[in-house]
Structures are given as C-alpha cells and as structure tokens.
Amino acid sequence: MDVSLLRKRTPGCAESAYFDNAGSALQAERVTQTVIDHLLLEQRVGGYVAADLVAARLDAVYSSVASLINAGPHEIALVENATRAWDMAFYSIPFKPGDRILTSRSEYPSNALAFLQARERFGVEVEPVPDDENGQLCLDALAERLGQGGVRLVAVNHVPTYDGLVNPAAEIGELAARADALYLLDACQSVGQLPVDVKRIGCHLLSATGRKYLRGPRGTGFLYVAEEVVGRLDPPFLDLRAGTWTGPASFEVKADAKRFETWERNVAGLLGLGAAVDDVLGIGIEAIRERIALLADDLRAGLSRVPGVTVCDRGVVRSGIVTFVKDGLSARDIVAGLRGAGVTTEVSLPSRAQFDTRADKLPVVVRASVHYYNTPAEQERLISAVAGL
C-alpha cells in the first residue's frame, strides 16, 4: 500500500488529521470526480438519457459490490443508505405473534426502534442477548436462547458504533443456521475496513453504507440478500423497478435482490460508490485491515499513556474505532479542542444503546476512528493535542 500516493489522491488529508472515518470517511478525488462527471452529463442530456449511457457501468457496480463480500451480483440491491437497506430487509420478514428476535446489547438505535415497532405491530418478542466478559455478544447465551425455539430472526451489528469491538459474526452465523433462524447482519461499520465474506459468515441479509469505511458518497448503500431466502421475503413496498404490473389486478415481484430497489435513485452517487468499492478491491481488504488494526492499536497505546485519559474500547478483536475520555473534560469539549488543533474526531453517545445494561452509567466518549490513509504523525498530533487540553 502506497500511503503517500493514496493521501495525495485524497484532498481532505491536507485539511486536517482526519479521524471520523466511522462517521463519514474522506473521499478519494476519483470518487468525487466520478459523481461530478455524471452530474454534468445529466446537465447536458437529462437524467434518463444519462442513465442509459452509463447502464453498463452501473451494472458493473453490482459485480464490484458482490466481489467485495463474496456474493452474486443478483444478490445485491443498490439503495440510498444503510438504514434503507436494513429496513427493507427487516420489514420484509413475515413476522407472526410470538416470533422471537434475538439481538445484541450494543444494537444501533435505528435498528432497535424497528424491533420495538415490530413488537407493537406483530406481537413479536425482542430479546437482547447478554455480552460476554469481553463485551462482545455472548455465544453461549445466544446458543441457549436459540435452543429454546421460536426464533425467527437473529439481527446483530458486526461492529458497534461506540466501543471498538468486533462481534463474532461467523460464529453467530453457525448458531443461527443450526436453529434455522434468519440472520441479518448490520455491517455498516465493518464493510471497507474488515474482510466481510457473507458465505463464511453465513448471514442471509447484510446492510452497508457507502460513506464510512468504503469512502463512497453519502446517500449510497447496499443490501445483500441470499439467493436461498429471497423468495421468502415480502418487500414492505413495491414500485415499477421492484415489480411488474401484469394486469389490472395482478403483479409480479422481481425474483432477485432488485425487489428491494426503487426506480428513482441517485445514479451519480451509485457510480461513485462503484468507484470507491473498486479502490478497495484494488488495494486489497486484507492490507486495509492490517493497516487499520496497527494504527488503531498504536493510537490506543498512545492515548493510554496520557495522564487522565481512559481508553474505553472492549472486545477480543477490535476495529478501527478508538473511544476515550479524559478526566475533567467533557467529550464535546475535547472534540472542539481537537478541531481547533486541526484534528477531526467525533462524539459518540453510548446512552443511545438502551439495550446495553450499562447505558445509564457510560460517559459520552470521544470517537477517533482511523483509516489506512492516517499516519503515525497524525496520531501523535492527536495524542499531543489531547495531552495539552
């Protein structure tokens, strides 16, 4: 990996030491230019003609995304964002009263709200599975609850948004398969920084965004739907891309993952997503994982040496998300102080994770999320700035 070259191709690297990649990573110039070029084409010839002219390139995005996660192009739906991807998957499941949903205690708030709505709407039971001693979802507890029967869905996040851990996705998949439960993985924070192989993980459904570790445009995302389950899922709504109106009182739904798409979409953004995914494929996800892990471990070690700083991360395997607090300062004050020093971080609110039994005891933390274009010098800049606050 030629980090110097990659930084030159990322104009934002000249603006600040950027550590908000778990929020919205810096785009490569090629990604941004891909979006701009298509917008200019739309300006000249109109949106429909422009879409026709790039149809082959747009089809190639499905293949690129599929290659990234070891799926088939027909198992990929391109959508507006990870939330829409996750919602289309979740609300397509034909829940019945008494069905059980097992989830993690670190589940993202939007997902949790959908669970609770399903409880009111369909009479399902929502059961957060306890953490183990390392903070990740406890596999023994999951196995026990699956063994009780009646589990329609296991829905967990791969990487929580606020404490650095990586949940054991493949092991969860093995347990869900034994219980014949659907498995929905929220990979919003993992795709682009970790190898994500849907066949090895065993998930039936996976949602992801473009804007985070993939370094794609905002307003882009994708949904993976395993071929073997797509026919069992009823999309929460249809339009003329997802289905065909075959007669005054009849219609047909697409046979593949495109049943979860809509006709109107941001073609420029999706082409930009394709360019971003192609960059990941070109660099190599293993190389990306190794560099992010090294940078994150070094950052944790450096912050731990600063008097008054506590690193809050948990997990056996950890991601590129590093969270910390400093005695006597609020997380918001730290983020503001760092921004004044030319270092971009973000605040994370563990209290939003109401399934986490620690939620009312956890502080608001600073989240510094690294990417492969970060450098040791930038990390020292962050550490020195924290020490000086």
Side-chain angles (χ1 to χ4, degrees), residues 46 52 76 111 117 165 172 208 270 300 349:
D52 289 341
I76 302 299
N111 302 353
Q117 185 183 51
L165 67 85
I172 292 170
L270 293 177
R300 291 185 185 101
L349 304 173

Side-chain angles (χ1 to χ4, degrees), residues 20-35:
D20 188 24
N21 298 289
S24 184
L26 297 175
Q27 290 181 28
E29 190 169 27
R30 185 174 85 94
V31 172
T32 306
Q33 194 60 52
T34 297
V35 176

Side-chain angles (χ1 to χ4, degrees), residues 1-326:
M1 188 188 300
D2 188 339
V3 176
S4 177
L5 178 61
L6 291 168
R7 287 176 61 84
K8 287 179 182 178
R9 293 174 176 173
T10 307
C13 287
E15 299 292 324
S16 72
Y18 191 84
F19 293 95
D20 188 24
N21 298 289
S24 184
L26 297 175
Q27 290 181 28
E29 190 169 27
R30 185 174 85 94
V31 172
T32 306
Q33 194 60 52
T34 297
V35 176
I36 292 172
D37 287 347
H38 188 76
L39 291 175
L40 291 174
L41 178 62
E42 289 186 340
Q43 183 184 58
R44 287 173 35 229
V45 303
Y48 281 15
V49 173
D52 289 341
L53 292 173
V54 300
R57 290 174 57 203
L58 191 56
D59 283 343
V61 179
Y62 291 90
S63 297
S64 295
V65 171
S67 295
L68 181 66
I69 64 171
N70 190 27
H74 62 290
E75 296 178 305
I76 302 299
L78 300 178
V79 295
E80 299 91 329
N81 50 62
T83 300
R84 173 52 59 88
W86 192 95
D87 283 345
M88 290 296 283
F90 178 76
Y91 286 103
S92 72
I93 299 170
F95 290 112
K96 297 177 182 177
D99 283 346
R100 299 169 63 208
I101 298 173
L102 302 185
T103 188
S104 66
R105 293 202 178 274
S106 58
E107 203 59 22
Y108 192 64
S110 294
N111 302 353
L113 290 171
F115 298 148
L116 298 179
Q117 185 183 51
R119 185 175 66 183
E120 291 188 357
R121 183 177 291 177
F122 305 115
V124 302
E125 299 175 13
V126 181
E127 303 174 34
V129 177
D131 298 334
D132 66 13
E133 66 275 11
N134 298 301
Q136 65 191 23
L137 183 140
C138 179
L139 294 172
D140 289 340
L142 176 62
E144 179 185 359
R145 296 194 179 202
L146 284 167
Q148 295 168 3
V151 176
R152 175 61 66 105
L153 176 68
V154 176
V156 301
N157 61 74
H158 197 182
V159 174
T161 188
Y162 65 84
D163 62 3
L165 67 85
V166 179
N167 272 315
E171 291 83 353
I172 292 170
E174 291 177 6
L175 294 173
R178 291 177 200 167
D180 196 28
L182 281 172
Y183 179 18
L184 168 57
L185 185 67
D186 181 343
C188 198
Q189 296 287 8
S190 59
V191 169
Q193 72 155 318
L194 300 172
V196 175
D197 183 330
V198 293
K199 299 300 189 287
R200 187 182 70 82
I201 290 172
C203 57
H204 302 104
L205 302 155
L206 178 146
S207 59
T209 184
R211 77 176 192 274
K212 295 180 184 287
Y213 280 93
L214 284 176
R215 302 182 60 199
R218 292 195 71 175
T220 62
F222 68 85
L223 171 66
Y224 158 76
V225 185
E227 183 178 31
E228 62 266 26
V229 303
V230 68
R232 294 157 48 188
L233 303 173
D234 186 17
F237 60 82
L238 299 174
D239 76 355
L240 74 168
R241 180 166 179 81
T244 303
W245 194 12
T246 56
S250 62
F251 66 93
E252 294 178 354
V253 183
K254 288 281 178 67
D256 59 12
K258 290 185 177 64
R259 65 172 54 191
F260 298 100
E261 294 184 345
T262 56
W263 172 262
E264 187 53 47
R265 53 191 182 156
N266 180 2
V267 175
L270 293 177
L271 292 174
L273 173 65
V277 172
D278 287 342
D279 282 348
V280 173
L281 294 172
I283 295 168
I285 192 62
E286 281 293 346
I288 291 172
R289 180 196 65 79
E290 290 175 8
R291 181 166 175 83
I292 288 176
L294 178 63
L295 289 168
D297 285 345
D298 287 349
L299 181 57
R300 291 185 185 101
L303 286 167
S304 296
R305 291 192 291 268
V306 176
V309 169
T310 300
V311 174
C312 303
D313 299 333
R314 304 187 296 163
V316 177
V317 179
R318 294 182 177 180
S319 71
I321 296 175
V322 179
T323 59
F324 65 95
V325 293
K326 184 177 183 182

